[in-house]
Amino acid sequence: MCLDPMLDSEKVSLVTATLDIFLLYSIKFEGELAADLHLRILNCCLSFLRSSDPSAVYCILLWMEENLQKYLSSRKETTSNGSGDQKSDVNCKPLFDNYHLLFGKLNDPAYLSVIKLDTLRLCVTEDNISSILEDIQSVLQRKYKESAVCDRIIAILLDLSKDSKFTDQSKQILTDLLNSTQVEILTSFLKFLHLISSYDDPIFESLFKLVVVKWRQLSSSDLAVLLHLIANFSHKQPETATYVTEITKYLLGGTTPNSAGLKSLLLHSVTECFIHQPAEYLETFKQCVSALEAEDDFIIQEQVKWCIGRVSKLLNN
């Protein structure tokens, strides 16, 4: 085709414009012509992914992120006459087989590693899932200190765990990661637990159990997030009471200075736990109230009075 030389241009904008044309016709046509166009698209993308120029790779990945899912969706719609997903998988096999190009290199900037991982999610199949999960663990061991990369890997694993084809394998990796001693990984898990809107989500429940036992490894800011989760979820897991008691003793023990904000969050979390499970949290609630009543901070003192009033009103009703 007369457009083929454009795919070898050093100007990425010209390449992506040409890819747009190829993609348009690969969706419009069927048969060998569509397959040939799509193969040219993939070979061009794979060639750029091997480039040592981060900006060029990033631009191609942006194009792939925007258009690959569109192509796959169109193929599923036009091949619903029996072959279904299989045809789209065959058309993308060169990309699926070269998924390793979407794992960041050691010297990749974080922004490039993140977009590679975003595109990687589109390349997961039943044939390569095991290898991809192994590689994901390896990447996380090297780049766990890069929060954006760590967050994106956890997001991919959580997404895969919701797909029945990948649930068991991805959940096992999530469990293995939570047994890690790396605080950065725990922090990423807390972010996503905080974002999960439904506390009835079985994934939330299983991950929450694994995170709460690691509370001693958390920073003050992470502990604040955990306290928020405890306040909203502990009534569904009675065994959480032990950890709430331990956290309360730790924060009120005086061995480490804690901010008024963290103490306030502790007070409200313990109050919520007590309201839902009075018998389990009575002593913890009394200990928390007693300690915070003696604080010099006027705002803390007022919050204690408010919590006591709230509990009294609910118990009297």
Side-chain angles (χ1 to χ4, degrees):
M1 291 182 69
C2 62
L3 291 177
D4 280 348
M6 304 295 185
L7 297 178
D8 297 322
S9 172
E10 294 182 359
K11 297 180 179 180
V12 183
S13 59
L14 184 58
V15 172
T16 54
T18 306
L19 289 174
D20 284 336
I21 297 173
F22 275 44
L23 181 62
L24 175 65
Y25 283 101
S26 71
I27 293 175
K28 184 176 181 179
F29 295 125
E30 290 292 332
E32 291 185 6
L33 178 57
D36 180 61
L37 287 170
H38 188 59
L39 187 60
R40 296 185 195 194
I41 292 172
L42 288 182
N43 285 336
C44 176
C45 291
L46 290 172
S47 176
F48 268 91
L49 289 179
R50 295 185 178 95
S51 170
S52 58
D53 181 358
S55 60
V57 176
Y58 183 76
C59 290
I60 288 297
L61 285 168
L62 280 177
W63 186 89
M64 290 175 67
E65 188 178 37
E66 179 181 350
N67 293 286
L68 183 59
Q69 188 60 55
K70 183 197 306 181
Y71 176 84
L72 291 176
S73 298
S74 72
R75 300 307 292 175
K76 289 174 184 178
E77 291 172 4
T78 57
T79 60
S80 58
N81 57 352
S83 57
D85 293 354
Q86 290 183 354
K87 188 170 182 181
S88 61
D89 281 352
V90 170
N91 287 337
C92 283
K93 194 172 187 301
L95 180 60
F96 296 158
D97 290 345
N98 288 277
Y99 72 85
H100 61 276
L101 295 174
L102 295 170
F103 282 104
K105 302 173 184 177
L106 280 174
N107 59 345
D108 273 351
Y111 74 88
L112 189 56
S113 295
V114 166
I115 194 171
K116 282 183 176 182
L117 289 169
D118 283 341
T119 311
L120 175 68
R121 173 61 187 96
L122 301 176
C123 300
V124 178
T125 68
E126 291 181 79
D127 293 330
N128 64 22
I129 179 65
S130 296
S131 299
I132 284 180
L133 289 177
E134 288 179 8
D135 290 340
I136 278 178
Q137 282 184 297
S138 176
V139 170
L140 201 51
Q141 288 172 0
R142 301 195 314 265
K143 294 205 166 193
Y144 67 88
K145 288 187 178 295
E146 296 181 21
S147 61
V149 175
C150 191
D151 289 352
R152 203 52 53 99
I153 287 177
I154 301 300
I156 290 173
L157 290 170
L158 288 172
D159 188 33
L160 290 174
S161 68
K162 297 175 183 177
D163 189 322
S164 59
K165 299 190 297 293
F166 311 129
T167 297
D168 293 339
Q169 290 168 290
S170 53
K171 276 190 173 181
Q172 183 57 53
I173 301 297
L174 286 168
T175 301
D176 292 343
L177 290 176
L178 275 172
N179 288 326
S180 164
T181 57
Q182 309 298 347
V183 176
E184 292 84 356
I185 294 176
L186 288 176
T187 297
S188 287
F189 272 105
L190 276 172
K191 288 179 186 176
F192 285 99
L193 287 175
H194 187 58
L195 291 173
I196 293 176
S197 58
S198 174
Y199 296 121
D200 293 323
D201 190 322
I203 295 173
F204 177 92
E205 183 174 348
S206 58
L207 294 180
F208 179 81
K209 288 179 180 178
L210 293 169
V211 169
V212 73
V213 300
K214 299 274 191 176
W215 70 267
R216 291 184 183 276
Q217 298 179 28
L218 301 176
S219 66
S220 295
S221 57
D222 290 339
L223 201 53
V225 176
L226 181 60
L227 286 170
H228 173 79
L229 295 174
I230 286 173
N232 289 280
F233 188 69
S234 62
H235 61 284
K236 295 187 178 182
Q237 290 190 344
E239 65 272 20
T240 306
T242 301
Y243 301 108
V244 175
T245 300
E246 291 177 358
I247 294 171
T248 302
K249 289 179 179 178
Y250 171 76
L251 292 178
L252 300 178
T255 55
T256 55
N258 294 298
S259 67
L262 190 57
K263 291 177 180 178
S264 174
L265 190 51
L266 172 66
L267 172 64
H268 288 284
S269 296
V270 171
T271 301
E272 288 296 323
C273 293
F274 175 63
I275 289 171
H276 287 107
Q277 297 170 272
E280 289 83 352
Y281 288 96
L282 176 59
E283 291 302 318
T284 304
F285 178 71
K286 288 166 62 177
Q287 178 190 8
C288 185
V289 166
S290 176
L292 294 181
E293 274 183 325
E295 288 282 321
D296 294 331
D297 192 310
F298 173 76
I299 295 177
I300 293 289
Q301 291 175 355
E302 290 300 305
Q303 288 178 342
V304 169
K305 293 177 183 177
W306 184 86
C307 287
I308 292 174
R310 182 181 177 213
V311 167
S312 300
K313 184 177 180 180
L314 289 171
L315 292 179
N316 289 334
N317 291 339

